[in-house]
Structure formats: C-alpha cells, structure tokens
Amino acid sequence: MNKLLIVGTVAFDAIETPFGKTDKILGGAATYIGLSASFFKVKSAIVSVVGEDFPQEYLDLLTSKNIDISAIEVVKGGKTFFWSGRYHNDLNSRDTLVTELNTLADFQPKVPANFTDADVVMLGNLHPIVQISVLDQLTATPKLVVLDTMNFWMDCALPELKEVMKRVDVITINDEEARQLSGEYSLVKAAAKIHEMGPKYVVIKKGEHGALLFHGSNVFFAPALPLEDVFDPTGAGDTFAGGFAGYIAQSENIAFENLKNGIIYGSNLASFCVEQFGTQRMEKLTKTEVLDRLQQFRALTQFDIALDTQETNA
Amino acid sequence: MNKLLIVGTVAFDAIETPFGKTDKILGGAATYIGLSASFFKVKSAIVSVVGEDFPQEYLDLLTSKNIDISAIEVVKGGKTFFWSGRYHNDLNSRDTLVTELNTLADFQPKVPANFTDADVVMLGNLHPIVQISVLDQLTATPKLVVLDTMNFWMDCALPELKEVMKRVDVITINDEEARQLSGEYSLVKAAAKIHEMGPKYVVIKKGEHGALLFHGSNVFFAPALPLEDVFDPTGAGDTFAGGFAGYIAQSENIAFENLKNGIIYGSNLASFCVEQFGTQRMEKLTKTEVLDRLQQFRALTQFDIALDTQETNA
C-alpha cells in the first residue's frame, strides 16, 4: 500500500452557523485531510501537535480510520490549538472569533522514519516554515507533493511561502487567494502566474462554485454537488485536499487525466463534509455512500453530444 | 426545418466596462437570442419593435443570419428602445445609466402567420403581458416554450409573471432571481419551488460560475468556460438562452438527456459572446469555432473513473 504523509493542525474548533453552534469539537486541517483520505487504500500518517487537553477518544477515532498517529506529538501541560468562527448567513464568509495557537506556536514537525519515503505528501495549511521542514526530512522524492495554504501566509510569510511553492507539484488555494497571490483577477491568468512560481498543477477552490485544475493549457472543472442544505463549511477545503491526495496516493498515477479524478473525489468527499457540523458526517461516512455519490457527480456533469459532422458547414 | 419563434427586444445599447466604452450599438435580448440560435439548423423569426432610427444595416445583419425579421415592427417616427449600463471592475455587477423604453412602451407583438405553429418558442426578457400575448396567438402547442425573465418583473409585475410561468416548460433566471422568486437561499430548494409554479425545467444561470438545469430530482451542471479575459458580459444570458433554444429546436428532442446538451451549447455560445463588445463576436463566429469549443467543454468536464468494485468494502 502506498504511503500518504499528512502535515497539518489537529485542533479544537468552536463553530457558529445560522443553523446552530458547537462547543469545542474535533477540528484541524490534518484531521479533515486524514478522515477524507481514509476512504482510499493508503497507509497514512499525520504529523502534528496537540496539548495534554486533547481527548484520547479523538486520537482513537483517527486510529480507527487506520491513520498512523505516532507523529502527533502530545505536549505535556500544553493546550491544543483552538479556532472559533462564526459564519455569515450565506455561509460564504466568516469571522474568526478566537485563534489560540497554544502548542502550535512552537511546533517542530518530526516525520516518522517509516514515512520519510512517502509516495504522496499533503502539506496542510500551516506556517510555510513548518511545511518546508517536513520536506527537508524526506529521504526520497515523493511522486507528488500537494501544498495547501491561505491568505494569512501571503500577508505575513510571503517569502517563505514562495520557497515552499518552489518545492511542490500541486497547490490548492481558493479563488480570492489565487487573485491575491498572482495580482490577476482572471483565474486563468492567475493560475498561469502561480504555475510560474513553482507548482506544475494549480487547483483553485471556489467553494459552492466548484474547483478548477490547471496544468499548462489544460483545465478541468469539478462542480460542487448542489445540496439542499449546507450546515457547516468548516473543513470542506481540507476534506477536498484529503480526497484528492488520498485518491492519487492510492492510484499511483500522476497523469493529468488521473488528477481530474482526484478533483472529482475531492469534491465528492467535501460534499459530505458540509452536511453536518465539524467532522460528524465524515466520521460515519461509508465507502458505499462515496461511490453512490460518484454516480451523482457523473449525472451532474457528463453529457453525450452526437456530432453531426455536416454541421461544420461554416 | 423546425421553427423557432423568438420574442424580445431589438435595441440600442451603450456599454461601459473596465476595458472601454461604446456608443449606441446593436443590442437587445432577441438580437442575441437570434444570433446565437442561428448556429443551428432552424427556421427562426423575431417578433419585436424598433423605431425609425434603427439602422437598416442591423436588420440586414439579422437577415443575413437567416432570421425572419418580417415581424420586427418599425414604428414611423418612433425611437428604438435604448439601454445604457456601466459594469463594475469585477464585471459581475452593473449600474443601469439609461433606460428609454420608446417604442417598446406600446409594443403589441404580432406573431407571423407562418410561425403560430412554431416548434420551440423562446420568450426573451420582456413584460410578462407581452410574453402571454405571444402565447395567446399560437395555433398549435409548441414542443417547448422557454421563458427568460428578470428581477424587474418580479418587483413590478409578479402576478403577470406567475401567469406566464404556468404556461411554459422551461424558465431561465439567474441565481439571485431564483432566490428572490422562491424565497429560498439553497438553489436546490429554489428550483423545487419554482418548478411548483409551472415550469417542468428550471435553468439557473450563475454567470461565470456556470448554469444548473433542474428537472425533478435530476440536476445537470455546465460550467462557464474559464477565459483569460471577459470584455463585456452584455447579452451572455440571452446568448445562452438562444443557444439552448436553437439546439433544442434543431434536435426536436425534449428529453432531459438532450436538454443537457442544450445547456452545454448555451454555455458554449455565451463563452464567445463575452469575448468582445456587444454582438461583435457573435456576428463573426463560425460553426467550426463552436464545434472546436465543444471539445474544450468536453475536456473541461468529462472524466473517466474506473470503479474497482472491491472498493465497496464498507
């Protein structure tokens, strides 16, 4: 089985949406990535840090999904990274209410010896220096390195972000971040400029408006599944990235045609993530449900236009 | 050849975008619909009204595209409907600067005798009473009636709009209008409510974010083609509707699977419309270019995931 190395936060989230609010619940980029990737036949490990306040049951949950948690450092006397946010009515924007870095402030990632030769590396949203440190510990070149990041690092760690971008194959960012990073409004132009910064593949996430995969002049688009209700968008982007990375790690095929499938699986898994608060839906999700939804994605996007060649009479 | 009856404005537009501005140029919903539908093998006619100030060369242009203009009334001494607007920097919103109804104020549509048995009727954006008057003049039930409308009529002619909605098969509106009309934020829920108002098929246009086709529990999505530059979105929605109606009229097939193809062709043609100001791009567009772009839409959306049935092990 291929190895997927995941680095990112394992955290507490407190979430408020128009549909309700939660106390501190399980959250964090690596948590969502790991849960999402667990639907594929891969051997995955999370590199992260938590405090002594982090419940064993959360760690057990990750273990039950066949995720190697031996590199999730538990800091004695430390407190776990905590984020709290409130979504606006349309769920497309949110205010951060609380960010407590806690143990994350001094996080020194340690890649487990048996994962320094990982086939796919998924760098979840974290300080670019932490992401670089993970790449520095690898002993073999991965088939694919995927970088997720956000506007926060563009604002306060741009040189470091540009360093890590030079060392990855794929970057996943949202549309506003792509515009900020490139200075281009057109996403086609933005992707071209970001490509020049390093990543061969540029994935632009547009939330409810789907995701674009760019590679040179090739473009692929996966819509978000139209849902009756979105309860909580938290973790959707990480779930998307986890589905993408997990599928690629399983299939061992980094051709553009196969990356398309990864984008579809990422969108598929993200469509479940938003159906309930936090990680609830992903915890109970079955592979059968994922495969059923794959049929919905087919129905949503696939068409068959028979070409009458005589139409070409212009 | 099947007959497509188009009702809508034939007008002057003056447009300002971040890329430039125009004087009075050819515009109007029926103009864009007619130009777009002209790429299909259909016999189409426009029912509309203009003033004596309307240049013969514009009428000749429509005739050169095999559009029957005998039902475009030219009002002696009258002035043509004029709209002027300025787009904001992101091109997603605009301010209307001038609306002069002129001859449109007293428009009494007269369906030509040889089109009262049209196969497909495309009701372009106009007062719902005018749209109803067109339906009242038909002598045979069309295979498909498509209604385009906008928020303006929801604000000031809602009862009449609801009347015409009961008599059409397909409605095309944008996402904000769907939300206004239904009172639902979720587009899935909005489409279900709009369906209850009459139309079997609900098409929700999301501009640069593509278009959704709803029919009962079936949903199909066509993305907008990602473009390096959008110069002028004017007429894109009408071009989309014209491509949809033209394709359906040509193919004589109103099954959901074929309406999907209509949505793809609509998106295809709209992607050209926005590349230049006004109708410029549509005037010069060739069928070869449309068929080439169909390949781009395939590449953009089609995928092939081989299912390993053993994956269903949950």
Side-chain angles (χ1 to χ4, degrees):
Chain A
M1 220 176 328
N2 289 318
K3 295 179 190 172
L4 170 64
L5 177 65
I6 300 162
V7 59
T9 53
V10 172
F12 288 129
D13 284 349
I15 303 158
E16 203 174 323
T17 82
F19 307 105
K21 62 187 287 187
T22 69
D23 288 328
K24 281 188 179 183
I25 58 173
L26 175 61
T31 303
Y32 283 102
I33 292 167
L35 289 175
S36 186
S38 74
F39 289 90
F40 302 95
K41 290 179 208 146
V42 291
K43 196 175 161 193
S44 62
I46 290 177
V47 177
S48 194
V49 65
V50 294
E52 214 175 342
D53 57 349
F54 198 71
Q56 184 63 37
E57 63 174 289
Y58 288 168
L59 294 173
D60 291 345
L61 167 70
L62 296 175
T63 304
S64 77
K65 300 290 182 182
N66 293 315
I67 302 166
D68 182 336
I69 60 159
S70 61
I72 301 182
E73 184 189 357
V74 182
V75 176
K76 285 251 165 72
K79 288 181 70 183
T80 301
F81 174 59
F82 172 53
W83 175 82
S84 174
R86 181 190 294 139
Y87 287 88
H88 299 165
N89 275 336
D90 66 1
L91 294 177
N92 283 327
S93 55
R94 68 186 185 192
D95 297 320
T96 290
L97 304 176
V98 180
T99 305
E100 293 174 8
L101 285 184
N102 297 328
T103 54
L104 195 66
D106 303 309
F107 177 39
Q108 308 255 349
K110 281 171 208 71
V111 177
N114 57 335
F115 273 84
T116 59
D117 62 348
D119 299 278
V120 172
V121 176
M122 177 70 232
L123 301 172
N125 175 41
L126 268 180
H127 196 300
I129 286 183
V130 175
Q131 295 173 322
I132 289 171
S133 160
V134 166
L135 295 182
D136 284 343
Q137 295 173 55
L138 302 178
T139 55
T141 305
K143 291 194 186 72
L144 201 73
V145 178
V146 184
L147 169 71
D148 190 48
T149 187
M150 68 183 294
N151 50 3
F152 182 76
W153 308 116
M154 297 170 198
D155 293 334
C156 68
L158 188 58
E160 296 89 340
L161 176 58
K162 287 191 170 172
E163 274 312 303
V164 69
M165 283 179 66
K166 288 181 193 159
R167 297 175 61 179
V168 306
D169 303 292
V170 184
I171 184 171
T172 73
I173 47 178
N174 74 29
D175 42 0
E176 283 320 306
E177 290 158 353
R179 287 173 173 138
Q180 177 175 347
L181 190 56
S182 66
E184 293 285 349
Y185 183 80
S186 154
L187 296 181
V188 175
K189 288 183 175 173
K193 280 210 176 167
I194 294 168
H195 168 67
E196 285 171 17
M197 298 177 190
K200 282 192 294 288
Y201 300 97
V202 178
V203 176
I204 299 182
K205 301 174 287 183
K206 304 199 295 169
E208 62 166 327
H209 299 304
L212 287 157
L213 167 67
F214 292 92
H215 176 234
S217 62
N218 292 317
V219 198
F220 179 68
F221 176 82
L225 194 73
L227 295 170
E228 287 222 353
D229 291 297
V230 170
F231 278 97
D232 174 15
T234 308
D238 299 312
T239 301
F240 172 89
F244 174 77
Y247 174 76
I248 301 302
Q250 171 186 282
S251 60
E252 286 189 85
N253 176 350
I254 59 166
F256 182 72
E257 286 302 312
N258 196 51
L259 294 195
K260 287 183 177 184
N261 298 348
I263 297 294
I264 292 290
Y265 267 116
S267 302
N268 180 330
L269 286 151
S271 75
F272 286 106
C273 176
V274 302
E275 289 183 343
Q276 290 182 24
F277 273 108
T279 58
Q280 284 176 24
R281 187 69 179 93
M282 298 310 289
E283 291 176 29
K284 283 172 261 159
L285 186 62
T286 67
K287 284 191 183 175
T288 307
E289 288 176 306
V290 175
L291 293 177
D292 284 350
R293 192 152 285 187
L294 185 58
Q295 298 304 332
Q296 288 182 264
F297 271 88
R298 275 190 225 278
L300 181 66
T301 58
Q302 304 302 286
F303 61 89
D304 183 18
I305 297 185
L307 274 192
D308 171 4
T309 52
Q310 298 198 338
E311 283 178 22
T312 320
N313 61 4
Chain B
M1 223 180 318
N2 290 317
K3 293 178 190 171
L4 170 65
L5 177 64
I6 300 162
V7 59
T9 52
V10 172
F12 289 129
D13 285 348
I15 302 157
E16 202 176 322
T17 82
F19 307 105
K21 62 187 287 188
T22 69
D23 289 326
K24 281 189 179 182
I25 58 171
L26 174 62
T31 304
Y32 283 102
I33 292 167
L35 289 176
S36 185
S38 74
F39 289 90
F40 302 94
K41 290 177 206 147
V42 291
K43 197 176 158 190
S44 62
I46 290 177
V47 177
S48 193
V49 65
V50 295
E52 215 175 339
D53 57 348
F54 198 72
Q56 184 62 37
E57 63 173 288
Y58 288 169
L59 294 171
D60 292 345
L61 169 69
L62 296 175
T63 304
S64 77
K65 300 290 181 181
N66 293 315
I67 301 166
D68 182 336
I69 61 158
S70 61
I72 302 181
E73 186 190 355
V74 182
V75 177
K76 286 250 166 70
K79 287 181 70 183
T80 301
F81 174 59
F82 171 55
W83 174 83
S84 173
R86 181 189 295 139
Y87 288 87
H88 299 166
N89 275 337
D90 65 1
L91 294 177
N92 283 326
S93 55
R94 67 186 185 192
D95 297 322
T96 289
L97 303 176
V98 180
T99 306
E100 292 174 8
L101 285 182
N102 298 329
T103 55
L104 195 66
D106 303 310
F107 177 38
Q108 308 255 349
K110 282 172 207 73
V111 177
N114 59 333
F115 272 86
T116 60
D117 62 348
D119 300 277
V120 172
V121 176
M122 176 70 233
L123 302 171
N125 175 41
L126 268 180
H127 196 300
I129 286 184
V130 175
Q131 295 173 322
I132 288 171
S133 160
V134 167
L135 295 182
D136 285 342
Q137 296 174 55
L138 302 178
T139 55
T141 305
K143 292 194 186 73
L144 201 74
V145 178
V146 184
L147 169 71
D148 189 49
T149 189
M150 69 183 292
N151 51 2
F152 182 76
W153 309 114
M154 297 171 197
D155 293 334
C156 67
L158 189 58
E160 297 89 342
L161 176 58
K162 287 191 171 172
E163 273 313 302
V164 70
M165 282 178 66
K166 288 180 192 157
R167 298 173 62 180
V168 306
D169 303 292
V170 184
I171 184 172
T172 70
I173 46 178
N174 75 29
D175 43 358
E176 283 318 305
E177 291 159 352
R179 287 173 173 137
Q180 177 175 346
L181 190 56
S182 65
E184 293 285 350
Y185 184 80
S186 153
L187 296 180
V188 176
K189 289 182 174 175
K193 281 210 174 167
I194 294 168
H195 168 67
E196 284 171 17
M197 298 177 189
K200 283 191 294 289
Y201 300 97
V202 178
V203 176
I204 299 181
K205 300 172 288 184
K206 304 199 297 169
E208 63 167 326
H209 299 303
L212 287 156
L213 167 66
F214 291 92
H215 176 234
S217 62
N218 292 317
V219 198
F220 179 68
F221 176 82
L225 194 74
L227 295 170
E228 287 223 352
D229 290 297
V230 171
F231 278 96
D232 174 15
T234 307
D238 299 312
T239 301
F240 173 90
F244 175 77
Y247 174 77
I248 302 301
Q250 170 186 281
S251 60
E252 285 189 85
N253 177 349
I254 59 166
F256 182 74
E257 285 303 312
N258 196 51
L259 294 194
K260 286 182 177 185
N261 298 348
I263 297 294
I264 292 290
Y265 267 116
S267 303
N268 180 330
L269 285 151
S271 75
F272 287 105
C273 177
V274 302
E275 290 183 343
Q276 290 181 25
F277 273 108
T279 58
Q280 284 176 23
R281 187 71 179 91
M282 299 310 289
E283 291 175 29
K284 282 173 261 159
L285 186 62
T286 67
K287 283 191 182 174
T288 306
E289 287 176 307
V290 174
L291 293 177
D292 284 351
R293 192 153 286 188
L294 185 57
Q295 298 304 332
Q296 287 182 265
F297 271 88
R298 275 190 225 277
L300 181 64
T301 59
Q302 306 301 287
F303 60 88
D304 183 18
I305 297 185
L307 275 192
D308 172 3
T309 52
Q310 298 198 337
E311 284 179 22
T312 319
N313 60 3

